[in-house]
Amino acid sequence: MASITLEGLKKTYSGDVQAVKGIDLAIEDGEFVVLVGPSGCGKSTLLRMVAGLETITDGTLKIGDRVVNNLEPAERDIAMVFQNYALYPHMTVYNNLAYGLKNRGFKKAAIEERVRKAAKMLEIEEYLSRKPRNLSGGQRQRVAMGRALVREPAAFLFDEPLSNLDAKLRVQMRVEIKQLQRRLKTTSLYVTHDQLEAMTLGDRLVVLNGGRIEQVGTPMEIYARPASMFVAGFIGSPAMNMVPIEYLSSHGAGELLADLPARTDIIGIRPDDMRLTPPATPHLVVESTLELYEAAGAESHLYVRLSESDQPTVIRVSGQPPVKEGETLRFYVAREALHPFNGDTGKRTG
Amino acid sequence: MVENRPFLNILTHLVLILGVLVVAFPVYVAFIASTHEPGAFVRGVMPLLPGENMWATYSQMLGSGWQVAGAPPVWLMLANSTIMALTIAIGKIAISILSAFAIVYFRFPFRMLAFWIIFITLMLPVEVRIIPTYAVVADLGMLNSYAGLTLPLIASATATFLFRQFFMTVPEELMEASRVDGAGPMKFFKDILLPVSITNIAALFVIMFIYGWVQYLWPLLVTTDEDFYTIVLGIKRLMASSDRVPAWNLIMATVTLAMVPPVLVVLLMQKLFVKGLTETEK
């Protein structure tokens, strides 16, 4: 087990395409860090640089106290779980798990012991003599994890390991990965584009955009106080509503917004912070027309359009409120639930 | 698409049977001819049932050959052809799988140039460049040798191209996973890539074996010594007698014997062969 330190890590492809534009990040020993961002944000490239599958153009990468910039993946003492599992199709599950150990010159008995142990932990003992093609998606996923597990590496690297699973299995495996990491306390770096996966798995999230870090923090920190409009829109589902400040101040909220920093021109409001009943604290009131009612079991999504504006907005409420499409709705937002942003820089202002 | 109507069933079977007859009948006639005495075949009415001469004919051809026509015993020619076909098939696969491995998995300067140079040899088979190739082989002193028979035919792009296409469909993560697992390039080749390609290798082996087996022009040029005659060459020599009645029974016996090894190869490798052409285990 070890910490991972990234200092000014850069990746430039031929033709001056900068995929990763200088990343500083310190991952503590035993920490579960999730890299999250839209496709093309450089998160996978960054992970592969840590793994040693991509060369590092500039910067320093340390695993533990060792600079590993120019080491082969095998020498970095990391294990990786791939998106498509990358199991060796011609080998049995047992040999898939054992292959890395064999290459490292482990004795037969030691290999056997470790493989059994990992198989037991992942409950794949009964499949050890099967080939990957005779396994289901979830089972393959376990084998892929087992292959990382048996090595007892300094760090686990996960490259969107759940994206090939169906929704139900994904939730189940997510929980298992979390539990496993808790138990083993192995430093883990996990890449995903799924914000829910990121929120639930990570001790800390790193939100990436265009090869740069947008924000680093615990999931709740990021959710409660997104540092930019990008983060605000990416974390949380449905995405945060962005309303121009002129609209709000010209619709009776002027006083309430007066103490916001001057640069603020956009107000972010989470769909769950829009209430149909007024709160006791200072709040603003907005009128809108309900365009689409989406009932989703325990909660409902109301797609509305603000009155005298064509601003589409989403409201999330629990249960099924007795409202109809086409109806005019009045909703209330507490003052402290407003997220002030500057539209030009995209940054949070206060 | 799959319909199940009796009329269609009968029709498709009829077409199939007709096809089989068209292909198989000449083979059958060849075999029948080899079991009769020499004159039976040219008498006007072709016999359609086996004669009594079978053992005599086959033992003569296998044992001593037909010296009058300058044909060595068939077993020797069969052995030569087998050696030649096997060497070509194995040599081709070995060389091309390695070069495809280099082209697909390594980034070296002029990689694509190397690939295209290999590729254009597709347009220049031995038949096109037969004189220069002959000159090279002769200068190297490889006339009348197995090396001379096989080496020029081993060097070709088809197999390299096929393996390249196959390797490009093998997920890159497999290579990356093996790197993380501590396997170097050659270990990856041996432990992962080779086993994954096994069906393709088998399919290619069958095709290349038959390609080597039916070679005629090249062996004709480089062999003057009877000891290196291949079976296809032998058949031609048996027939090329202008001042003699061709001994059809002997010729057809040789033809029948010449068919046996390729048929065996196809039959034995059929399962892998079909698998290699239709599915890939990835």
Side-chain angles (χ1 to χ4, degrees), chain B residues 4-41:
Chain B
N4 200 357
R5 281 194 233 157
F7 170 70
L8 276 179
N9 272 346
I10 292 167
L11 188 74
T12 45
H13 275 88
L14 220 62
V15 171
L16 272 177
I17 290 166
L18 211 68
V20 169
L21 281 181
V22 168
V23 175
F25 187 66
V27 178
Y28 176 74
V29 170
F31 173 71
I32 293 302
S34 71
T35 61
H36 286 268
E37 4 95 58
F41 200 59

Side-chain angles (χ1 to χ4, degrees), chain A residues 48 52 72-74 82 84 86-90 99-100 103-104 133 147 151, chain B residues 171 173-174 176-183 187-188 191-192 195-196 281-282:
Chain A
R48 291 164 57 81
E72 269 291 300
F82 293 87
N84 63 3
L87 300 179
Y88 310 125
H90 59 290
Y99 188 62
N103 288 342
R104 283 176 171 74
R133 66 161 174 272
R147 197 165 58 177
R151 296 247 320 277
Chain B
E173 284 87 351
L174 229 45
E176 292 172 345
S178 78
R179 270 179 81 187
V180 174
D181 267 344
K187 207 164 169 49
F188 163 69
D191 289 348
I192 316 282
V196 170
E281 189 191 329
K282 268 177 306 208

Side-chain angles (χ1 to χ4, degrees), chain A residues 2 4 25-35 145 156-158 161-162 173-192 197-206 216-219:
Chain A
I4 304 176
L25 183 66
I27 301 165
E28 282 163 37
D29 189 3
E31 200 179 13
F32 197 131
V33 170
V34 177
L35 299 177
M145 303 239 307
F156 289 137
L157 306 178
F158 297 92
L162 302 183
M173 289 306 294
R174 196 173 75 200
V175 174
E176 285 186 28
I177 289 180
K178 182 85 182 166
Q179 284 170 341
L180 203 64
Q181 202 271 341
R182 284 261 168 82
R183 187 138 48 111
L184 298 172
K185 300 209 171 12
T186 306
T187 315
S188 301
L189 193 55
Y190 188 107
V191 160
T192 182
E197 220 171 279
M199 292 280 291
T200 47
L201 275 174
D203 294 329
R204 270 199 302 159
L205 299 193
V206 178
V216 182
T218 66

Side-chain angles (χ1 to χ4, degrees), chain A residues 69-98:
Chain A
N69 277 34
N70 297 315
L71 290 186
E72 269 291 300
E75 298 163 348
R76 294 187 181 195
D77 198 17
I78 46 99
M80 187 153 168
V81 180
F82 293 87
Q83 181 173 1
N84 63 3
Y85 321 135
L87 300 179
Y88 310 125
H90 59 290
M91 293 187 192
T92 60
V93 169
Y94 183 94
N95 285 329
N96 262 290
L97 298 189

Side-chain angles (χ1 to χ4, degrees), chain B residues 129-143 152 218 222:
Chain B
R129 52 185 162 86
I130 199 146
I131 302 297
T133 309
Y134 179 82
V136 170
V137 169
D139 286 348
L140 290 173
M142 291 196 296
L143 298 179
W218 183 249
V222 291

Side-chain angles (χ1 to χ4, degrees), chain B residues 172-212:
Chain B
E172 212 171 326
E173 284 87 351
L174 229 45
M175 183 262 285
E176 292 172 345
S178 78
R179 270 179 81 187
V180 174
D181 267 344
M186 288 323 284
K187 207 164 169 49
F188 163 69
F189 179 72
K190 180 171 86 55
D191 289 348
I192 316 282
L193 205 54
L194 220 49
V196 170
S197 324
I198 198 74
T199 51
N200 284 55
I201 292 174
L204 214 59
F205 177 84
V206 173
I207 293 169
M208 288 305 160
F209 184 89
I210 289 167
Y211 165 83

